[in-house]
Amino acid sequence: MANTLVDMFRMKDIRKKILFTFGILAVTRIGAALPIPGVNPGAVLSYFEANSNSFTEYLNFFSGGAFANFSIFMLGVMPYISTQIIMQLLMLVIPSLKKLAQDPQGSKKVQQYTRYATIFVAAIQSLAASMYARGIPGALAIGPVAFTIVSIITVTAGSMLMVWLGERITANGIGNGISLMIFAGIVARIPSASYTMVRSVASGLLNPVSIIVVIVMFFFVVALVVYEEKGQRKIPVQYSRRVVGRRMYGSQGSFIPFKVNPSGVIPVIFASTLLSFPLQLGYNSNIGWLRAVADFLNPQGAPYLIIYTLLIIAFAFFYTQVTLNPIEMAKNIRDNGGSIPGVRNEKLEEYLTKVLNRIILPGAIFLAFIALIPTLIQMFFSFPSNVAMLFGGTSLIILVGVDLETMRQLDGLMKMHHHDGFVDARKRRLKKF
């Protein structure tokens, strides 16, 4: 492992990608500590220390502590993810939009529409955040109207800046930028959660035996998540002989790898972000029905957990059908002269759909179970909410999923370099520049 890390940093372009990624993530963490103009940081900090609850910890979890700081990045990339969900749903009901997204040039327009819609969503959420701040004693250093205008402009700009930075990571760095930003936010919460846990043990609020049990459970669940992320079912495909130019290619066999969890961490992120939207709008709101919705969707309540579970399962099916379209896959197999042994060509769509549905359901149920672990830990072991969130659930799935995906990309880049001649085949070591 040590040699692999050394080799990785000795490759100039990979080293540049890694350093670029770390540099952008460092910028986002600095931004998470910069308060909105017009906010009294001391009053906000004192308020959240005295009034910490599941709602604030929930929003802090996705922003890496930026929400409690009322920073310019307090919304993180949640508005962008919410808008992506809305656009994906619109593609189901508007065929012309789906057709536009499938075209290479049209997909750029859809991305542009998504960014414009993100500004609108971020403005609404920043308005809700400003109303929340106005309810904190001594939090405002300027007038409420001026603060509302400043916070909407600042927080919306901060969210769009984070989206842009995430796209830069995806284009010039390593891994998916948006996912890595959420990953960095979760990792940034580990020191404070560890301190809370130690302090709780010292004060007698937590039993050391309970911590040991939860840690053992944590490593066991991590192993299960890794096993599930790597699990796949291979669908054999046989290609007949065909003539290309003046050459005849003989029949060859291949396979289609269907992962047990094809959608990865996307369903969990989508479900969490979608539920956080009404919570942000309704918490401490003066509008009665919005406040009632926020109370109904209490992250520790049964309605929230049931809806959360159903949304994860629904998004798992939805996202897989969008990314792995059985109709398109069957068409590509037939167009290339392929067939699946034991399946008639006209039944390919039906067979692939059936296999996908059988794989997705257990994978989605497993995702939902993992996502509910923090609530179970709080209920049975009385852990603080910020500690429980790091021992399982969404954080665990995101950490493992993003880590595996990033490592796969790094591995692919290293193999590409080896193939291009960066490895001295005789000495089996990396060539020097």
Side-chain angles (χ1 to χ4, degrees), residues 29 31-34 44-45 48 56-71 73-74 184-186 188-189 192:
R29 298 316 309 155
L34 297 177
V44 171
L45 180 63
F48 281 117
T56 56
E57 288 299 334
Y58 182 80
L59 295 180
N60 264 332
F61 164 73
F62 279 101
S63 60
F67 182 82
N69 295 333
F70 267 85
S71 74
F73 290 164
M74 67 181 300
I186 296 172
R189 299 289 292 164
S192 63

Side-chain angles (χ1 to χ4, degrees), residues 285-297:
S285 173
N286 295 325
I287 303 175
W289 67 271
L290 277 178
R291 181 65 179 269
V293 170
D295 292 339
F296 179 75
L297 292 177

Side-chain angles (χ1 to χ4, degrees), residues 36 70 143 149 151 292 298 302 310 322 330 347 353 427:
I36 302 171
F70 267 85
I149 296 173
S151 63
N298 178 9
L310 294 177
V322 171
K347 296 287 186 180
T353 302
K427 297 183 179 180

Side-chain angles (χ1 to χ4, degrees), residues 183-206:
F183 178 94
I186 296 172
V187 172
R189 299 289 292 164
I190 292 178
S192 63
S194 301
Y195 173 73
T196 301
M197 185 170 62
V198 172
R199 190 174 59 181
S200 299
V201 172
S203 61
L205 297 176
L206 277 182

